[in-house]
Amino acid sequence: VGNILIYLPLGIIFSKYLNLFKTIAYANVFIIGIEIIQLVFRLGIFDVLDIILNILGVLVGFISYRLWSWYLWRRRMMMD
């Protein structure tokens, strides 16, 4: 759960500027880069499950922001 919550803001930030494909691509590069740094400097354990959960966190942030934006847009349209 912690890995998902940590990367949720990254998904929100990316969703403002990028589409879903680019968000996943940039998040993969960023997250795998962090995992490689952990491996090289022996700061943690390189774990594939961490990568999957981190990407899931980015996706949850992306989808949450897009749904919230759609809801606000729809609400504005209903008021007009």
Side-chain angles (χ1 to χ4, degrees), residues 5 8 10 15 19 29 34 41 55 63-64 68 71 73 79:
L5 293 177
L8 195 127
L10 189 63
S15 70
N19 62 25
V29 169
I34 289 175
F41 293 107
I55 295 297
I63 293 168
S64 298
W68 182 250
Y71 168 76
W73 174 80
M79 290 185 169

Side-chain angles (χ1 to χ4, degrees), residues 7-23:
Y7 285 95
L8 195 127
L10 189 63
I12 292 171
I13 293 168
F14 282 173
S15 70
K16 292 181 181 181
Y17 306 106
L18 304 172
N19 62 25
L20 182 61
F21 178 75
K22 287 184 181 178
T23 296

Side-chain angles (χ1 to χ4, degrees), residues 6 15 39:
I6 289 172
S15 70
L39 180 67

Side-chain angles (χ1 to χ4, degrees), residues 21-59:
F21 178 75
K22 287 184 181 178
T23 296
I24 293 172
Y26 289 150
N28 272 323
V29 169
F30 182 76
I31 291 166
I32 291 172
I34 289 175
E35 290 292 324
I36 289 172
I37 289 171
Q38 285 182 350
L39 180 67
V40 170
F41 293 107
R42 298 181 184 183
L43 296 172
I45 299 171
F46 184 90
D47 190 10
V48 175
L49 186 59
D50 281 345
I51 295 171
I52 293 168
L53 291 174
N54 295 345
I55 295 297
L56 183 62
V58 171
L59 288 175

